[in-house]
């Protein structure tokens, strides 16, 4: 059963057409990796899924609710979508534990004990047990991003959205965050991941989407899109990404 | 003959100290120390001021300032939110208020509020509440701009993160944005408190009775009794008791805020 359905999505910033008709269906439990050159519209597509960007036209349906319907309570609908940002965006004035509990309490109405129990479970899951009392500024980038993932998970989302979750990290910290995401994928979480990590996409994704110029150029299982791309634009992009030094293989 | 660099530096420094010594000596020999002491530093006159200068005047100045600040802070926050509102009339009203009250002298506001409003609307306030409201009205205009800047200084990602967790715009403001904005504007708000403490010296115009005297009015009154400027000096020192600790507090908060940011960046790097 499909949990996310996107059809005919258009979005412009001024005269710049960023999305030019995107259609996408995501089945429950699927991991979809969105790849493409910068400026191809992949982050905008992800941000349109939870309406952080308001699309100009087209529909986004999550779990049977059409988010693009102006009569839908967007705050309520967003609870089904967890979002992880490139720059973590942990709440700087709150401890890690409070970061994880504040929305549970203020939005879902859970009491403090229950919220903290769920928060501790999720911190354990991302390998941050014992850091409850730390402030975000006392954590490394990798720890902050894992705390941000735990924060999103604490809302029990149906779908997790990852917007270049490892792009702001030092190379040696990327592995921890990708490890957490692998675990989530293996537990059957539905995930939309905008990423430049081709190895991750190849190993974890059920579907890879290659975007360029605001359209989906190529879409399919990773073995096909990354392993044997049929489109010239995909091949050019992959050649640059997989062989960044420009050596001849 | 050309001087070496070392010689020139010595000559310049020597001249500067020389000028300073000459000016000090001139003042010391020409001034009439007896008159100055009687006019400004008359210890007998100063002694008569105690304890009232502390137990009445200083306490009243602190109370007027703190209450006026509290009222101004609430009004300032409301104005700041109105300035950032997506509803144009709210923005217009807030901008008009801020420009008006920042643009006219506080003295005019106090006069208009103290004498004009009671006549125009036929209402009587107690002097205490008039003072607090008048101070707050002026302070709010400055604080609104400070708070608005603080809200806008909170990174956009904080609001996006809050909204993506299902918080409404209102909840995100209350729980995420405003608490962080206040940390950012704590140092400038402390400076605002200092300015308000000094502005409270203007409220004697509203006609205070004995037990309502603040420092300036108290000093002026006592000055007439003892025929010396000494009470004003004492009042001035009392203002410094309030303002100097606050300005150190402000600097400490500033260092702490920038320290936090730096620490955060170092960890991220």
């Amino acid at each position: 059963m499909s949990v996310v359905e996107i059809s005919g999505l258009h979005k412009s910033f001024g005269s710049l057409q960023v999305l030019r008709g995107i259609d996408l269906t995501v089945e429950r439990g699927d991991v979809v990796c969105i790849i493409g050159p910068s400026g191809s519209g992949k982050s905008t597509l992800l941000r349109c899924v939870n309406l952080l960007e308001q699309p100009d036209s087209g529909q986004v349906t999550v779990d049977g609710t059409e988010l693009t319907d102006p009569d839908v309570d967007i705050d309520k609908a967003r609870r089904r979508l967890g979002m992880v940002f490139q720059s973590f965006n942990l709440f700087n004035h709150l401890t890690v534990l409070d970061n994880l509990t504040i929305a549970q309490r203020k939005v879902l109405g859970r009491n403090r004990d229950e919220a903290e129990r769920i928060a501790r479970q999720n911190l354990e899951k991302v390998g941050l047990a014992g850091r409850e009392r730390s402030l975000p500024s006392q954590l490394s980038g990798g720890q902050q991003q894992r705390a941000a993932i735990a924060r999103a998970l604490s809302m029990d989302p149906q779908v997790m959205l990852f917007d270049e979750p490892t792009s702001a990290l030092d190379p040696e910290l990327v592995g921890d965050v990708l490890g957490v995401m692998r675990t989530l994928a293996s537990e059957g979480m539905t995930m939309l991941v905008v990423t430049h990590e081709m190895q991750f996409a190849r190993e974890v994704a059920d579907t890879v989407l290659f975007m360029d110029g605001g359209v989906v150029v190529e879409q399919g299982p990773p073995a096909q899109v990354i392993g044997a791309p049929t489109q010239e634009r995909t091949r050019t992009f992959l050649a640059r990404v997989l062989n960044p030094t420009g050596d001849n293989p | 003959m050309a001087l070496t660099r070392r010689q020139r530096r010595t000559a310049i420094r020597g001249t500067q100290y020389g000028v300073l010594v000459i000016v000090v000596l001139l003042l010391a020999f020409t001034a009439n120390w007896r008159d100055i002491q009687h006019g400004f530093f008359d210890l007998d006159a100063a002694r008569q001021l105690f304890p009232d200068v502390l137990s009445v005047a200083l306490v009243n100045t602190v109370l007027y300032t703190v209450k006026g600040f509290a009222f101004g802070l609430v009004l300032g926050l409301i104005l700041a939110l109105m300035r950032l509102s997506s509803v144009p009339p709210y923005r217009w009203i807030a901008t008009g208020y801020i420009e008006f009250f920042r643009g006219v002298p506080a003295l005019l506001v106090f006069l208009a509020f103290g004498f004009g409003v009671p006549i125009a609307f036929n209402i009587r306030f107690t002097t205490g509440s008039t003072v607090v409201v008048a101070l707050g009205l002026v302070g709010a205009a400055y604080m609104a701009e400070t708070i608005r800047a603080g809200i806008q200084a909170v990174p956009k990602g904080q609001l996006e993160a809050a909204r993506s967790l299902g918080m409404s715009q209102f909840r995100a403001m209350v729980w995420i944005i405003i608490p962080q904005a206040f940390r950012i504007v704590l140092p400038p708000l402390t400076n605002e408190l200092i300015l308000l403490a000094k502005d409270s010296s203007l409220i004697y115009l509203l006609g205070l009775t004995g037990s309502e005297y603040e420092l300036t009015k108290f000093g002026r009154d006592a000055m007439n009794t003892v025929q010396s400027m000494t009470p004003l000096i004492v009042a001035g020192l009392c203002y410094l008791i309030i303002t100097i600790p606050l300005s150190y507090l402000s600097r400490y908060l500033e260092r702490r805020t920038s320290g936090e940011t730096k620490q955060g960046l170092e960890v991220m790097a």
Side-chain angles (χ1 to χ4, degrees):
Chain A
M1 190 192 113
S2 61
V3 61
V4 177
E5 277 174 64
I6 298 168
S7 63
L9 206 63
H10 284 79
K11 175 72 186 175
S12 299
F13 294 114
S15 61
L16 183 69
Q17 282 195 306
V18 183
L19 297 179
R20 299 187 296 168
I22 304 284
D23 300 295
L24 175 65
T25 303
V26 182
E27 302 296 322
R28 198 175 289 280
D30 268 7
V31 176
V32 177
C33 282
I34 306 168
I35 62 173
S38 63
S40 58
K42 51 196 194 304
S43 280
T44 306
L45 170 61
L46 201 71
R47 290 164 60 86
C48 278
V49 174
N50 71 351
L51 254 63
L52 278 183
E53 302 290 353
Q54 181 74 42
D56 297 333
S57 63
Q59 269 117 46
V60 176
T61 305
V62 174
D63 210 13
T65 306
E66 194 202 318
L67 270 58
T68 36
D69 176 354
D71 290 327
V72 158
D73 179 354
I74 186 64
D75 297 326
K76 208 166 173 179
R78 278 193 183 123
R79 294 177 199 172
R80 296 175 211 180
L81 296 158
M83 177 105 177
V84 175
F85 300 86
Q86 182 177 348
S87 49
F88 329 136
N89 295 345
L90 287 178
F91 302 135
N92 296 316
H93 62 308
L94 299 178
T95 64
V96 167
L97 190 65
D98 288 341
N99 260 280
L100 268 65
T101 55
I102 190 159
Q104 292 189 63
R105 293 168 56 206
K106 304 301 173 193
V107 176
L108 301 181
R110 289 175 183 161
N111 65 39
R112 183 185 284 273
D113 286 346
E114 192 190 1
E116 289 191 355
R117 187 178 55 76
I118 293 168
R120 285 176 205 282
Q121 278 172 9
N122 284 310
L123 282 177
E124 174 96 46
K125 178 183 248 177
V126 301
L128 284 177
R131 302 311 300 260
E132 289 85 351
R133 295 282 153 222
S134 303
L135 285 169
S137 61
Q138 295 165 330
L139 301 181
S140 74
Q143 290 171 326
Q144 288 191 53
Q145 191 61 298
R146 284 182 282 145
I149 293 172
R151 176 175 69 179
L153 290 175
S154 298
M155 302 295 285
D156 299 329
Q158 302 285 310
V159 180
M160 285 285 284
L161 310 173
F162 293 85
D163 187 7
E164 301 197 28
T166 58
S167 296
L169 296 178
D170 286 343
E172 78 269 22
L173 303 174
V174 168
D176 290 343
V177 171
L178 291 181
V180 168
M181 292 166 63
R182 271 174 209 270
T183 309
L184 279 183
S186 68
E187 289 172 359
M189 175 63 77
T190 312
M191 293 162 57
L192 262 73
V193 186
V194 171
T195 188
H196 293 292
E197 301 289 338
M198 290 305 141
Q199 189 67 23
F200 177 83
R202 204 197 298 259
E203 291 171 16
V204 181
D206 298 294
T207 305
V208 173
L209 220 67
F210 173 70
M211 282 182 70
D212 192 15
V215 294
V216 176
V217 175
E218 196 163 353
Q219 171 179 0
Q224 180 198 318
V225 177
I226 299 177
T230 58
Q231 301 293 315
E232 186 52 39
R233 277 195 279 179
T234 318
R235 277 199 287 268
T236 316
F237 171 75
L238 287 171
R240 276 206 310 264
V241 172
L242 297 175
N243 187 15
T245 53
D247 296 340
N248 283 320
Chain B
M1 193 192 81
L3 294 169
T4 66
R5 259 194 310 172
R6 185 196 301 260
Q7 285 169 327
R8 194 181 306 146
R9 211 161 48 210
T10 314
I12 290 172
R13 179 162 301 177
T15 315
Q16 288 174 339
Y17 276 108
V19 168
L20 180 65
V21 168
I22 290 167
V23 169
V24 169
L25 286 177
L26 270 177
L27 281 175
F29 284 113
T30 54
N32 182 339
W33 288 108
R34 183 182 275 286
D35 284 358
I36 290 177
Q37 201 212 345
H38 176 73
F40 292 95
F41 305 104
D42 186 337
L43 286 180
D44 287 331
R47 228 168 270 137
Q48 292 172 31
L49 302 174
F50 290 88
D52 282 3
V53 66
L54 297 179
S55 63
V56 177
L58 180 62
V59 166
N60 276 341
T61 293
V62 169
L63 283 180
Y64 294 152
T65 305
V66 168
K67 288 182 188 168
F69 182 78
F71 174 65
L73 193 62
V74 173
L75 186 58
L77 176 60
I78 294 170
L79 286 166
L81 293 175
M82 283 170 71
R83 274 214 62 169
L84 296 170
S85 165
S86 54
V87 183
Y90 283 132
R91 289 202 300 270
W92 301 335
I93 293 168
T95 308
Y97 181 98
I98 290 164
E99 294 300 336
F100 180 81
F101 281 94
R102 287 204 309 176
V104 301
L107 190 60
L108 286 189
V109 177
F110 292 166
L111 287 175
F113 191 76
F115 301 119
V117 170
I119 296 169
F121 299 98
N122 196 21
I123 37 172
R124 289 253 154 259
F125 298 111
T126 62
T127 321
S129 53
T130 309
V131 163
V132 167
V133 174
L135 276 176
L137 286 177
V138 174
Y142 290 92
M143 287 190 253
E145 280 299 86
T146 307
I147 295 169
R148 178 190 59 80
I151 290 174
Q152 288 180 325
V154 176
K156 197 164 151 263
Q158 297 284 310
L159 181 64
E160 290 186 347
R163 296 304 305 272
S164 75
L165 287 166
M167 287 193 199
S168 63
Q169 181 80 22
F170 179 78
R171 279 199 174 118
M173 284 306 275
V174 169
W175 295 106
I176 306 301
I177 306 300
I178 290 176
Q180 294 190 59
F182 267 98
R183 292 180 150 223
I184 295 170
V185 299
L186 220 46
L189 278 185
T190 315
N191 288 330
E192 193 53 45
L193 188 55
I194 293 173
L195 291 180
L196 223 51
K198 294 191 291 177
D199 276 351
S200 74
S201 67
L202 296 170
I203 56 186
Y204 73 88
L205 285 158
L206 300 179
L208 304 170
T209 58
S211 65
E212 296 166 344
Y213 279 11
E214 42 66 55
L215 282 167
T216 301
K217 176 66 177 164
F218 183 89
R220 280 167 55 100
D221 240 40
M223 192 176 77
N224 293 333
T225 327
V226 300
Q227 300 293 313
S228 158
M229 295 289 275
T230 309
L232 287 191
I233 300 286
V234 174
L237 291 175
C238 288
Y239 279 109
L240 294 181
I241 293 175
I242 304 174
T243 54
I244 289 179
L246 282 177
S247 86
Y248 274 89
L249 175 67
S250 163
R251 255 174 280 174
Y252 164 76
L253 292 170
E254 212 163 310
R255 267 203 312 274
R256 205 192 59 173
T257 314
S258 62
E260 263 175 15
T261 322
K262 219 165 102 193
Q263 190 193 14
L265 289 175
E266 273 164 13
V267 170
M268 273 170 69

